[in-house]
Amino acid sequence: MKIIRFTTVDNLREEICNNLLEQFIAVRLDDRHIIFDSNYQQRMEEVAADSDASITYCHYREKNGDSVALHPVIDYQFGSVRNDFDFGSVVVLNAADVLTASEFFSPEDSNSPDGGWYALRLRMSIGNTIAAVPEYLYTVEKIDFRKSGEKQHDYVDPRNSYYQAHMERVFTEFLNDIDGLLPVTRSRVNLRKGTFPVEASVIIPVRNRVSTIKDAVESALAQTPDFSFNIIVVDNGSTDGTRELLNSIEDPRLVVIPVNDSEFLGIGGCWNKAILSEHCGRFAIQLDSDDVYSSPDTLSRIVDKFYSDRCAMVIGSYMMTDGNLNPIPPGLIDHREWTDMNGANNALRINGFGAPRAFFTPVIRSILFPNVSYGEDYAVALRISREYAIGRIYDPLYYCRRWSGNSDADLSIEKVNTHNEYKDFIRSVELIARVRANVRNQEEE
């Protein structure tokens, strides 16, 4: 089995045509030094042949000096369409499938910033098997030493905007190929329907954040809109004094909903508890328990955006800071990649929509959050974007504080994989729903 370094799709096709007797070809995706296990070729070819896989990849190890750490990969799902999916440093490709998938490649695809790899593997996934071998079959050097919390915003870094624009174009073409594109027109909503106790509710799920929850609540209470609002804090079984601190705050606008461990609620379940309660206002607006709003007019700006755009959801922007509100890299997270024309499609490719998130309560009550503590916001945002217009605000509306207790500041590879696997599942469900809806619409025309 020939091993080559991937540069462009055109070069890969040439290599395959020069080695027509090779059923499979191993392709290196980066320049890290690879030490293959003795059984790598036999095992990968065996799995690729037996499963009739177009792409086969496997677990690997990362060497850092004298230490070696295991780096497992996750299974490829229908919704594993983000362009940073981790295949590792080398994949085994079915040569015939490469030629078929790339037969009508445009020069723009082959000359894209990644040489066309993203376009190629998306097209090779259509109707084919992609096999992940859960065995460690090679070792590479570790070169990225950043923590998970430092990597997670690479896709919105302005320095990567040229690359991301190309990836969006490639992904949009893929969606068109599989009938997954959403129509440009989004549904607008009648925001005046229904009766609510207040115009807006700030929703704060919390568990054991005694050192930060007061700041969050006080930043919400400091809002100065010209409409009524309240703060609904869902305390999910705190044992560190958080509930006692909340109960000591004497303000009628603060509603504390206690939750017991026996209810088995994640963050999504806590959100459902809040939005389904009798206290929830016309608009439900997010604030995390360790973050703070950036100014007293945050609620006003969000509600104004609802009415100006007649949208079902509004998403703002935020500034990454340390615990003392000093800006830290990457700074402002504003999701400038979003467009009204294609944002709802491109959202399937990237890992999030941004924050703070706000919902028109009748719509979010009809959908509800999955009862999990990661990806729950992404799931409902994808579902809303399938049908409704989303409003965006590109100025920072809150400060996202990084501190030692942040839940996503420094995750293990196993935890990162669990998160990515769940979001790929969410994408799979949403993508299937969009394809089915388009097929139904075509049959009705």
Side-chain angles (χ1 to χ4, degrees), residues 266-382:
I267 293 175
C270 291
W271 260 93
N272 292 338
K273 197 92 167 176
I275 61 178
L276 294 174
S277 78
E278 62 182 358
H279 306 288
C280 191
R282 186 178 303 275
F283 304 106
I285 302 174
Q286 171 225 351
L287 179 60
D288 288 344
S289 59
D290 48 6
D291 300 330
V292 295
Y293 288 139
S294 59
S295 76
D297 66 351
T298 292
L299 294 191
S300 297
R301 295 193 62 186
I302 291 173
V303 170
D304 286 349
K305 189 66 175 176
F306 270 112
Y307 285 115
S308 66
D309 288 16
R310 292 174 52 216
C311 50
M313 181 179 181
V314 170
I315 306 173
S317 304
Y318 60 94
M319 182 69 72
M320 297 293 298
T321 75
D322 61 20
N324 297 317
L325 303 185
N326 299 305
I328 60 174
L332 178 63
I333 307 297
D334 58 6
H335 282 268
R336 288 280 181 177
E337 84 288 340
W338 178 272
T339 63
D340 290 337
M341 292 283 289
N342 201 48
N345 291 311
N346 191 47
L348 280 165
R349 181 184 66 85
I350 61 179
N351 243 359
F353 279 74
R357 297 165 291 274
F359 309 92
F360 180 44
T361 298
V363 169
I364 194 61
R365 280 177 173 171
S366 70
I367 294 173
L368 296 180
F369 289 78
N371 183 31
V372 294
S373 292
Y374 179 84
E376 75 291 337
D377 50 347
Y378 187 60
V380 296
L382 281 176

Side-chain angles (χ1 to χ4, degrees), residues 1 16 22-26 43-58 75-76 87 91-101 117 120-121 123-134:
M1 180 171 59
I16 291 173
E22 295 276 0
Q23 182 181 4
F24 301 105
I25 187 166
R43 185 61 176 145
M44 293 293 281
E45 284 188 338
E46 179 181 59
V47 172
D50 287 347
S51 63
D52 192 24
S54 285
I55 302 174
T56 307
Y57 60 106
C58 65
D75 285 333
Y76 196 97
F87 288 98
V91 295
V92 170
L93 305 181
N94 182 300
D97 289 344
V98 171
L99 295 178
T100 300
W117 165 247
L120 177 65
R121 64 96 160 172
R123 294 186 190 181
M124 290 182 70
S125 73
I126 300 175
N128 294 319
T129 297
I130 297 183
V133 181

Side-chain angles (χ1 to χ4, degrees), residues 183-439:
V184 173
T185 304
R186 324 302 305 134
S187 297
R188 304 290 170 171
V189 293
N190 176 10
L191 298 170
R192 300 292 183 182
K193 69 178 182 180
T195 302
F196 300 89
V198 291
E199 182 74 348
S201 292
V202 176
I203 309 297
I204 309 177
V206 64
R207 180 179 175 88
N208 292 338
R209 287 288 187 266
V210 69
S211 63
T212 61
I213 186 61
K214 185 177 181 181
D215 291 341
V217 170
E218 287 180 345
S219 80
L221 291 173
Q223 295 296 297
T224 57
D226 60 2
F227 51 78
S228 60
F229 73 98
N230 62 17
I231 297 98
I232 303 176
V233 179
V234 182
D235 179 48
N236 195 8
S238 292
T239 58
D240 67 343
T242 293
R243 185 171 299 182
E244 291 77 11
L245 188 154
L246 289 168
N247 290 335
S248 72
I249 300 175
E250 297 182 358
D251 192 305
R253 295 172 295 174
L254 175 61
V255 178
V256 178
I257 300 178
V259 173
N260 297 318
D261 287 344
S262 60
E263 296 182 63
F264 302 107
L265 296 190
I267 293 175
C270 291
W271 260 93
N272 292 338
K273 197 92 167 176
I275 61 178
L276 294 174
S277 78
E278 62 182 358
H279 306 288
C280 191
R282 186 178 303 275
F283 304 106
I285 302 174
Q286 171 225 351
L287 179 60
D288 288 344
S289 59
D290 48 6
D291 300 330
V292 295
Y293 288 139
S294 59
S295 76
D297 66 351
T298 292
L299 294 191
S300 297
R301 295 193 62 186
I302 291 173
V303 170
D304 286 349
K305 189 66 175 176
F306 270 112
Y307 285 115
S308 66
D309 288 16
R310 292 174 52 216
C311 50
M313 181 179 181
V314 170
I315 306 173
S317 304
Y318 60 94
M319 182 69 72
M320 297 293 298
T321 75
D322 61 20
N324 297 317
L325 303 185
N326 299 305
I328 60 174
L332 178 63
I333 307 297
D334 58 6
H335 282 268
R336 288 280 181 177
E337 84 288 340
W338 178 272
T339 63
D340 290 337
M341 292 283 289
N342 201 48
N345 291 311
N346 191 47
L348 280 165
R349 181 184 66 85
I350 61 179
N351 243 359
F353 279 74
R357 297 165 291 274
F359 309 92
F360 180 44
T361 298
V363 169
I364 194 61
R365 280 177 173 171
S366 70
I367 294 173
L368 296 180
F369 289 78
N371 183 31
V372 294
S373 292
Y374 179 84
E376 75 291 337
D377 50 347
Y378 187 60
V380 296
L382 281 176
R383 175 60 186 88
I384 290 172
S385 71
R386 188 198 314 171
E387 183 175 354
Y388 298 100
I390 292 179
R392 307 291 307 217
I393 298 174
Y394 295 108
D395 300 321
L397 298 185
Y398 84 35
Y399 299 121
C400 181
R401 299 191 291 180
R402 277 283 182 261
W403 56 292
S404 60
N406 275 124
S407 57
D408 60 353
D410 188 13
L411 303 178
S412 67
I413 182 59
E414 290 79 12
K415 194 67 173 179
V416 170
N417 281 349
T418 297
H419 286 178
N420 284 331
E421 193 168 39
Y422 182 67
K423 279 196 172 180
D424 284 355
F425 162 74
I426 291 170
R427 292 184 184 94
S428 297
V429 173
E430 182 62 29
L431 190 51
I432 291 170
R434 294 181 183 191
V435 171
R436 293 182 65 199
N438 286 338
V439 171

